[in-house]
Amino acid sequence: MQGLLQFTMDLFEGLGSEFAKPEPPAPRPKKVRKAAPPAMPPVPSAPRQEAVDTGPALPAIPLRDTLALARFAHPQATREVVLGSARVAYEFKRGKRKTIGFLVGAEGLSVRAPRWVALRDVDAAIQEKADWILRKLLETQQRHARVEATRIEWKDGAGFPFMGEPVVIRLDPKHGFASVGGTLDDAEVEGGPRILRLAVAQNAAPSQIRDAAQAWLMRQARKLFIERLDHFAPLLGVRWQKLSLSNAATRWGSASADGSIRLNWRLIHFRLPVIDYVVAHELAHLRVMDHSHRFWETVERVVPDYDLLRRQLKDEAVPRWN
């Protein structure tokens, strides 16, 4: 470092003297015998080779080695394994199956294995799938964090998305509501959120505010779902018979061969194209009761960009109501 600093200073001194005016020669001083200064240690010269050949490039660091001190624990965990620097406590069950299966859900990792498989073989299978398991656990953890960030504090001024647009609650028990329980007004300021006025007292408990908002949203959801079912059913050449609203935590919809459709009312938080994808998806099951290639071709006939909308449905955080 000292040698590098000295080199830099010398360089700038040289540049300065190159453009400076010449100074007159100084008078020759009288010779005075002085003690010689202590010798400076020589600065080692840099090697001529600037780059060192380190051989082939090192492989990318596996995901398992980037999660130092991470811990993932299933609430019903019965076994634990170390994957890289991460400790994973997982639920383990045996059953009537032919292969070892892995499921990463909201609670964590679950492993299922045949009764005849030795534990050492289960451990080996987990290590083989380590990168996939850690990636899914991390994605689930991040998704949970996004959901927690959308938790609603039920009070005057609480907000949530309605058909992809922000809405803010105003408690207004004296308002002359045109619809039962509440009404949706325009934004108070240009570019701001729309106002959902609820017929709820200012001192209402959070649960009362939540229930009133949910009742209003479910009414809007049922009305919209019926409109979209009636729109897509003729396009797919099917007839639906009954609509039920679901409150499932992990499922957006289902369809039965008798024409019954179940749709999660929380879909009302999403934009209309996403809602249309789910509606078309369930109606397509009235033609093809599986997820074969023919099924997805059926969906694509009426929702060409279904794959993009499907990813949005998966990635976007839905407000946490509880």
Side-chain angles (χ1 to χ4, degrees):
M1 185 66 183
Q2 183 178 0
L4 177 61
L5 179 59
Q6 185 64 44
F7 173 79
T8 305
M9 293 175 64
D10 291 345
L11 178 63
F12 278 93
E13 287 173 3
L15 286 174
S17 62
E18 181 181 355
F19 294 99
K21 294 181 180 180
E23 298 180 0
R28 180 177 297 180
K30 294 181 179 180
K31 294 183 179 180
V32 179
R33 195 177 189 85
K34 294 183 180 180
M40 296 293 291
V43 178
S45 59
R48 297 181 63 183
Q49 184 179 1
E50 297 182 358
V52 179
D53 184 8
T54 57
L58 295 176
I61 300 175
L63 176 63
R64 69 182 78 179
D65 295 333
T66 67
L67 299 175
L69 305 181
R71 177 173 173 80
F72 303 94
H74 193 288
Q76 280 79 48
T78 54
R79 288 178 59 80
E80 185 172 284
V81 64
V82 176
L83 303 179
S85 299
R87 303 186 71 87
V88 180
Y90 62 92
E91 179 191 34
F92 178 68
K93 290 185 177 181
R94 294 186 181 273
K96 294 182 179 180
R97 52 181 301 131
K98 297 180 179 180
T99 60
I100 300 173
F102 305 91
L103 173 64
V104 177
E107 294 183 320
L109 172 64
S110 296
V111 180
R112 302 290 186 267
R115 292 189 175 92
W116 50 268
V117 172
L119 288 177
R120 65 176 179 274
D121 294 328
V122 174
D123 292 339
I126 293 174
Q127 292 293 339
E128 185 178 349
K129 297 281 289 185
D131 285 345
W132 179 87
I133 291 172
L134 289 175
R135 183 172 66 253
K136 290 299 180 182
L137 286 171
L138 188 60
E139 289 174 357
T140 302
Q141 186 183 70
Q142 292 171 344
R143 189 178 302 113
H144 177 73
R146 291 198 302 269
V147 170
E148 286 298 318
T150 62
R151 185 186 293 273
I152 302 171
E153 186 177 356
W154 294 105
K155 61 181 182 179
D156 186 83
F160 51 78
F162 171 70
M163 295 187 65
E165 299 295 333
V167 167
V168 171
I169 291 176
R170 289 286 180 264
L171 305 184
D172 195 353
K174 297 181 180 180
H175 189 279
F177 293 98
S179 59
V180 179
T183 187
L184 186 63
D185 292 341
D186 293 333
E188 294 177 338
V189 296
E190 185 176 356
R194 298 185 70 182
I195 307 301
L196 174 58
R197 300 188 183 278
L198 296 177
V200 179
Q202 290 288 340
N203 60 351
S207 59
Q208 293 176 294
I209 302 172
R210 179 198 63 207
D211 293 346
Q214 180 174 333
W216 184 85
L217 285 171
M218 291 180 73
R219 286 193 293 272
Q220 306 308 309
R222 176 176 288 277
K223 178 181 177 182
L224 178 64
F225 294 166
I226 290 175
E227 290 177 358
R228 305 318 290 167
L229 286 167
D230 287 342
H231 170 76
F232 283 106
L235 298 178
L236 290 167
V238 297
R239 295 183 60 184
W240 66 278
Q241 301 296 330
K242 177 185 176 182
L243 170 66
S244 301
L245 296 186
S246 161
N247 195 31
T250 59
R251 199 171 190 180
W252 291 116
S254 62
S256 301
D258 63 0
S260 298
I261 302 291
R262 289 178 63 84
L263 295 172
N264 195 314
W265 68 266
R266 297 173 193 266
L267 285 167
I268 199 67
H269 289 304
F270 291 92
R271 299 179 302 112
L272 183 59
V274 177
I275 297 173
D276 279 349
Y277 157 67
V278 179
V279 170
H281 181 117
E282 300 309 332
L283 286 174
H285 276 310
L286 300 184
R287 293 186 64 89
V288 185
M289 294 299 290
D290 56 34
H291 287 107
S292 62
H293 183 69
R294 189 164 69 92
F295 167 80
W296 292 113
E297 286 181 338
T298 304
V299 175
E300 190 175 23
R301 280 170 42 197
V302 292
V303 185
D305 56 346
Y306 77 88
D307 193 46
L308 173 63
L309 298 170
R310 184 186 182 192
R311 290 197 300 271
Q312 291 178 3
L313 181 67
K314 178 181 178 181
D315 295 339
E316 292 182 18
V318 182
R320 188 175 179 87
W321 280 65
N322 298 329

